[in-house]
Amino acid sequence: MATFIRRMELAFISTADADGECDATLRSGQPGFIQVLDDRRVAYPEYRGNGVMASLGNIKENPHVGMLMVDFTRDLIGLHVNGRARIVEAAEFTGRADPKAERWVVVEIQEAYIHCRKHIPRMVAVDRTRDWGTDDVKRKGGDYFGVKADR
């Protein structure tokens, strides 16, 4: 599982607030962006995003998180990791440093199990330029769904 996690480029993160209102989001980076700290802990970086901070806000109210990592390109298999999370500021993080990370989420693993490949589609990775850390509305996706235009 540790080897699998180290080669992942994305993870779907699920959180819920104190009232159980759920949120699911995507975290991504270069292979290894999710760090395996030891047999019972992993950590993923929090980069500059849209400023909503729904996941971090939820974690502050309710530390239970679910992570789903899926290999869409090679083995067509997934891994669920469920646990308790805590937020660590970048300056206090004791794992491998990432200058783009503003903070880290450290997950104490309570359970990990396979996601069967039966319905995982094969995808092909393509090269692309990523605009890490941008505040440019257009490069971030802007008002893609036209919500602001309707207000």
Side-chain angles (χ1 to χ4, degrees), residues 7 10 14-15 18 21 27 40 42 44 46 48 53 55-56 59 63 67-68 71 92 106 111 119 133 137 141 143 147:
R7 65 182 176 84
L10 64 87
S14 297
T15 61
E21 297 293 325
R27 295 294 183 266
R40 304 298 295 180
V42 296
Y44 63 88
E46 283 289 326
R48 187 174 175 169
M53 299 181 78
S55 298
L56 295 177
I59 289 169
M67 301 174 69
L68 173 61
D71 177 348
E92 300 165 14
V106 177
E111 66 177 345
H119 298 293
V137 174
D143 189 22
V147 176

Side-chain angles (χ1 to χ4, degrees), residues 12-133:
F12 300 97
I13 308 295
S14 297
T15 61
D17 65 16
D19 295 324
E21 297 293 325
C22 298
D23 186 68
T25 190
L26 173 71
R27 295 294 183 266
S28 64
Q30 297 298 318
F33 87 103
I34 302 172
Q35 293 187 29
V36 177
L37 302 177
D38 56 41
D39 288 348
R40 304 298 295 180
R41 294 180 310 143
V42 296
Y44 63 88
E46 283 289 326
Y47 300 121
R48 187 174 175 169
N50 61 10
V52 175
M53 299 181 78
S55 298
L56 295 177
N58 286 348
I59 289 169
K60 284 185 176 189
E61 292 183 19
N62 175 356
H64 296 282
V65 300
M67 301 174 69
L68 173 61
M69 292 158 272
V70 182
D71 177 348
F72 291 104
T73 62
R74 190 173 102 184
D75 298 323
L76 303 181
I77 204 77
L79 176 64
H80 293 264
V81 172
N82 296 318
R84 297 178 65 84
R86 64 186 173 85
I87 301 164
V88 177
E89 293 301 318
E92 300 165 14
F93 183 63
T94 58
R96 190 177 66 253
D98 180 340
K100 294 184 292 257
E102 294 183 343
R103 58 195 54 82
W104 291 82
V105 175
V106 177
V107 179
E108 300 280 340
I109 300 169
Q110 295 174 313
E111 66 177 345
Y113 57 92
I114 195 169
H115 185 94
C116 83
R117 67 174 43 135
K118 185 168 54 173
H119 298 293
I120 295 175
R122 180 171 299 280
M123 297 184 178
V124 177
V126 296
D127 289 333
R128 66 176 268 220
T129 301
R130 295 178 191 257
D131 294 314
W132 295 105

